[in-house]
Amino acid sequence: MQPTALLSFVLLAGSAASKTVFSAVSVNGLSQGHGVGIRVPSTNAPITDLTSNDIICNTGISTPVSQTVIPVKAGDAITAQFHKSPLGYLGPDPSDPIDPTNKGPVIAYLAKVPSATQTTVTGLQWFKIGQNGLNPTTHQWGSDLLFANGGNATFTVPSCLESGQYLFRAEAIALQNAASYPGAQFYMSCAQLSISGPTSFKTPATVSFPGAYTPSSPGIVSNIVGVTSYTVPGPDVFTC
Ligand SMILES: *[C@@H]1O[C@H](CO)[C@@H](O)[C@H](O)[C@H]1NC(C)=O
């Protein structure tokens, strides 16, 4: 390959979008079905503008939107199923659920809402329930675990959470273009949960979207080539 051809190949590879969509939920390992109880974006295009309301629950949601609210219990395992296509798993594909060369964290949040099927997603108060960034020992990113687990990212619903309706926001961030802003690619959807929790509960500290991430937040503008540590953006994980 000529040096110029090699350079353009590298630039093209570096600009690839990872393209992944969270489109189904499992509770304690049992899938609720594709598009059930979740607002599925109609394309796998990334969100890159941190000031846009699209960073909350994505945009261009497929219709009709599921009116199912998924029942879960505090302490349950909840899995976000990501695939390359908004239609879910379409068969073997080397870049499903995510292009394995694209690296970044996978993060989950909850927000308490009056009704999990409400269309309004602005003004909600979010708290983080789990994250996989860069494991300093194995050097695996959250995206590597997502790939290894066939698109399944599993989190624990905090055992001390108040009963109520919640939105579950699970997000994969791809950092291969993140050396400047805008550059990081955000892939998220929101699922609709009804959580039954203990009578004695804890109230988490919360953040807003947009707002929780800014261009100057740790972990947003990131040159990840050769890094051995990485700070996941957003607040600390809520613990009981
Ligand atoms: C992902 O989760 C689904 C639903 O729980 C399950 O059927 C599937 O086997 C899981 N995939 C992997 C690779 O663990």
Side-chain angles (χ1 to χ4, degrees):
M1 206 184 274
Q2 293 299 308
T4 46
L6 181 63
L7 179 62
S8 55
F9 173 76
V10 169
L11 289 174
L12 277 174
S15 64
S18 36
K19 298 187 177 10
T20 190
V21 181
F22 161 35
S23 66
V25 171
S26 309
V27 180
N28 296 330
L30 187 66
S31 183
Q32 306 299 296
H34 178 262
V36 175
I38 180 168
R39 303 161 187 208
V40 182
S42 53
T43 80
N44 59 12
I47 305 299
T48 58
D49 182 354
L50 295 178
T51 65
S52 161
N53 286 336
D54 298 349
I55 198 72
I56 309 170
C57 291
N58 219 309
T59 188
I61 305 299
S62 303
T63 54
V65 179
S66 175
Q67 295 303 298
T68 300
V69 178
I70 299 169
V72 305
K73 294 186 297 300
D76 279 352
I78 186 161
T79 300
Q81 298 179 36
F82 286 83
H83 286 291
K84 179 179 176 179
S85 167
L87 302 176
Y89 183 69
L90 299 178
D93 179 333
S95 59
D96 179 83
I98 191 166
D99 185 321
T101 66
N102 295 167
K103 308 297 188 187
V106 178
I107 312 173
Y109 293 84
L110 291 172
K112 199 162 188 295
V113 283
S115 166
T117 57
Q118 69 187 49
T119 52
T120 302
V121 295
T122 52
L124 303 182
Q125 298 298 305
W126 298 91
F127 54 96
K128 193 188 263 177
I129 62 165
Q131 60 187 16
N132 286 312
L134 177 62
N135 183 312
T137 311
T138 63
H139 305 294
Q140 275 191 312
W141 287 92
S143 55
D144 295 322
L145 293 174
L146 191 67
F147 190 83
N149 292 325
N152 294 341
T154 300
F155 302 92
T156 302
V157 179
S159 59
C160 59
L161 212 56
E162 182 180 14
S163 294
Q165 307 252 308
Y166 288 81
L167 291 181
F168 170 61
R169 178 185 181 279
E171 167 182 62
I173 307 177
L175 296 170
Q176 70 276 6
N177 283 344
S180 60
Y181 177 83
Q185 299 168 345
F186 299 81
Y187 299 90
M188 82 298 296
S189 306
C190 291
Q192 302 161 178
L193 306 184
S194 174
I195 298 178
S196 65
T199 47
S200 173
F201 53 82
K202 282 193 185 168
T203 304
T206 58
V207 296
S208 299
F209 283 105
Y213 303 161
T214 72
S216 57
S217 305
I220 300 291
V221 172
S222 314
N223 186 343
I224 61 165
V225 177
V227 297
T228 53
S229 71
Y230 170 76
T231 302
V232 177
D236 290 342
V237 174
F238 170 59
T239 52
C240 289

